[in-house]
Every structure is written in C-alpha cells, then in structure tokens.
Amino acid sequence: MENQKNVTEFIFLGLWRNQKIEQLSFFLFLLCYLAVLMGNVTILLTITCSHLMEQPMYYFLCHLSLMDLCYTSSVVPRLIRDLAAARKSISYHECMTQLFAAHLLAGVEIFILVCMALDRYVAIVKPLHYTVIMNPKRCSILIGTAWGLGFWHSITLLLMVLSLPFCGPNQIDHYVCDVKPLLKLACKDVHVVSILLTANSGMVAIVIFLVLVASYIFILYHLRTKSSAGRRKALSTCSSHVTVVVLFFVPCIYIYALPAGDQNMDKEISVFYTVIAPMLNPLIYTLRNMEMKISMRKVWSQMLHCKLR
C-alpha cells in the first residue's frame, strides 16, 4: 500500500492527443451528452407516467434507460471537461471511484439486457404462460439480481486494481479510468491480473453475447409457426433489442477479451458503449415501436395540458 501512495493523481492523455481536434470534439460530445439526457429522460417519463410500466418489456426498458443515463453521466461529463482543459488530471481516489461506478453500471446494464432477452423469449415461445412467468415480483427479483451481479463484477475489478502498486509514471492513455490502461502503469508483473481481467470481463461478455444470440436464433426458429402479422410484430421488437445488444457487446468484447497492447484502439472503440449506444438506444426503441410512440404523445400532451391550465 505504501507504493500506491507515491501516485496521488493520474493524467489522462485524452482521445487523440491533439488539442485542436479535442476542442472541436468538445461541442460534438456536449451535443451527444445532451441527446443522451433528452432521449433517456423522455423514455423514463413516458414509461413511468403511463400504463406501460405494468408490462415487463417496458419495465426492463425503463431500467435500461436509467442505466444508460447514469453510466454515461459517470464518464462523459469529465470527458467533456477534459476536452476543453490543457491538463487532464484526476486524483487516485476519484479514479478508483470512477472505475467502480462505471463497471457497476455497465455490469447492471449487461444483465438487464439478459432480462430483456428472457422476457422476449418467454413472450414468444411460451405466450400462454407469459403473465405467470414474468410476474411483477419475478421482474423485481431479476432487476435485483442484475444489481447484485453488477456489484460483484465491479467490486472484483476494484479490489484487483487496489492491490496494484503505482510508483510512476502516472499518465493514463485513455479518457476514463479503466482497468487495462491502469495495468500498464503498475509497478509489478500484472500477467496474473491480466488473465483474471480477461476472465472477469472478456470471457463473461463473450459467453453472455453467445447466449443472447442463441436465444434469438431459437426465437426466429419458433416464429415459423406464427402468423405473418404476429411474426412482423415479434421481429420488430426483437430486432430493436438485437441492435442494442450488438452496439454494446461487440465493442466490450473487443476491449476486454483481447490482451492489452499498444496497437489496440481501446479508447476509440469504447466511445461506442459510453456515448453512441446510450444516445441511439432511445431512438432504436421508440422509432420502431408504435405503442411507445402513442404513449409518448399521450404523456406529453397531458403534461402540456397541465401546464396550460
């Protein structure tokens, strides 16, 4: 622990190490963050203020939007600030806090995506038992389990990093405190820790992604027996979820399943799940969902009517 105290702060090298490009990117990421806030708050208000909250699919979507909102807010505001700053510093304790919060929220989001896949599987494969299987109590238990698994994932990574000595240098080749760039700064052999990281994050992401892909292949196989109208409705819902899963999991697998290396584009690829996916998720789930659009119009017209009274 004494070696750790030699480094009291870290310096981010940023996304591109080019001040002019970063100054231009400041406005782009600011607009993206505002879009994340507006889109996910809109979904949260629409679902919580309508009858949709009673349906498991929208109950999980509400929690997914909350995770997108919180996860992006744990990373992007500091990124935006650093894009306009000459010196991008973060204290050791703030770095560990950001590491824990980001992985906790991302872990919870991953398991919420699993819950959403389970919901679609039951709705399509076992429609007669859907209301019994996906009852409110079981949905709450699934969300609680997602939080528990996310906490376990995050605390494990945090304890691994806290055990590492940091004697210097203190420059993180990233825009956020993450495990792989921190491993490069450790003052001891990190081979074992790197293997544990791959097992904890990379292999878990691959396994969950393959399970989700397999579940949707099975759903597609089962849809052969449905009517054309039922098939279109199911495909519309499932395609939205598959798009979100691919946007989130593919970059995660690239970053955490591959070993650390100087040629990896980890920080550029991570923009997909820290900014782009949370920004696109509200559009993916609303533009192709007629029920969501109808509820959105009703909720916002009611709110406007209340303001005018």
Side-chain angles (χ1 to χ4, degrees):
M1 293 297 290
E2 289 182 4
N3 285 337
Q4 280 184 341
K5 294 178 182 177
N6 290 343
V7 172
T8 58
E9 71 170 8
F10 295 102
I11 308 296
F12 291 128
L13 295 181
L15 266 173
W16 295 285
R17 302 192 195 184
N18 185 308
Q19 196 169 1
K20 289 184 178 179
I21 294 176
E22 291 196 338
Q23 286 174 349
L24 291 172
S25 300
F26 170 85
F27 298 101
L28 176 62
F29 280 98
L30 180 60
L31 289 173
C32 288
Y33 183 56
L34 291 175
V36 170
L37 293 177
M38 290 176 61
N40 286 288
V41 167
T42 299
I43 284 185
L44 283 170
L45 287 174
T46 301
I47 294 174
T48 54
C49 297
S50 69
H51 68 284
L52 293 180
M53 194 65 176
E54 299 168 4
Q55 300 181 41
M57 182 176 77
Y58 296 104
Y59 175 76
F60 292 131
L61 177 57
C62 184
H63 283 277
L64 180 69
S65 291
L66 180 62
M67 287 305 101
D68 277 338
L69 202 58
C70 294
Y71 176 64
T72 307
S73 296
S74 71
V75 175
V76 178
R78 180 176 282 276
L79 167 61
I80 293 170
R81 189 204 69 177
D82 288 344
L83 286 171
R87 190 172 186 271
K88 307 167 177 52
S89 63
I90 185 172
S91 71
Y92 175 85
H93 296 295
E94 287 177 331
C95 182
M96 296 302 110
T97 301
Q98 186 184 59
L99 172 73
F100 175 77
H103 277 274
L104 169 64
L105 297 167
V108 175
E109 180 161 346
I110 283 173
F111 292 112
I112 288 175
L113 289 171
V114 174
C115 294
M116 294 176 77
L118 175 64
D119 172 70
R120 290 301 85 206
Y121 175 85
V122 175
I124 294 169
V125 178
K126 297 182 180 290
L128 298 178
H129 301 92
Y130 178 70
T131 54
V132 176
I133 296 173
M134 301 303 295
N135 59 63
K137 183 180 178 181
R138 188 162 284 132
C139 290
S140 298
I141 291 172
L142 287 171
I143 291 296
T145 304
W147 275 97
L149 292 171
F151 178 81
W152 173 82
H153 160 74
S154 185
I155 198 69
T156 304
L157 289 180
L158 179 64
L159 291 174
M160 280 195 289
V161 175
L162 288 174
S163 69
L164 298 174
F166 296 99
C167 324
N170 67 339
Q171 292 185 325
I172 300 176
D173 188 16
H174 215 291
Y175 60 87
V176 63
C177 278
D178 204 358
V179 183
K180 280 179 71 175
L182 284 170
L183 289 181
K184 297 178 183 178
L185 306 181
C187 305
K188 74 169 190 179
D189 182 30
V190 294
H191 182 68
V192 175
V193 178
S194 183
I195 293 173
L196 291 173
L197 166 66
T198 303
N200 182 289
S201 299
M203 294 309 297
V204 170
I206 290 173
V207 170
I208 292 175
F209 179 68
L210 291 177
V211 168
L212 291 175
V213 170
S215 71
Y216 281 103
I217 290 173
F218 193 81
I219 287 172
L220 288 173
Y221 178 80
H222 190 80
L223 283 175
R224 295 179 310 136
T225 60
K226 300 286 183 181
S227 64
S228 58
R231 196 181 301 128
R232 278 196 301 271
K233 185 178 179 181
L235 284 174
S236 177
T237 305
C238 292
S239 61
S240 298
H241 188 61
V242 169
T243 305
V244 171
V245 166
V246 170
L247 279 173
F248 193 88
F249 274 90
V250 172
C252 283
I253 291 170
Y254 173 88
I255 290 171
Y256 294 107
L258 295 179
D262 294 332
Q263 301 304 315
N264 291 1
M265 297 178 63
D266 287 0
K267 59 185 178 182
E268 291 86 359
I269 297 294
S270 66
V271 172
F272 278 93
Y273 61 79
T274 56
V275 182
I276 295 174
M279 181 177 65
L280 294 180
N281 285 357
L283 294 175
I284 293 169
Y285 280 113
T286 54
L287 292 180
R288 302 189 64 182
N289 190 320
M290 186 57 66
E291 194 173 12
M292 190 74 184
K293 286 190 281 189
I294 292 170
S295 296
M296 197 179 295
R297 281 195 292 267
K298 285 181 180 178
V299 168
W300 290 103
S301 62
Q302 287 172 2
M303 292 177 69
L304 183 62
H305 181 69
C306 290
K307 277 190 172 183
L308 293 175
R309 288 182 63 182

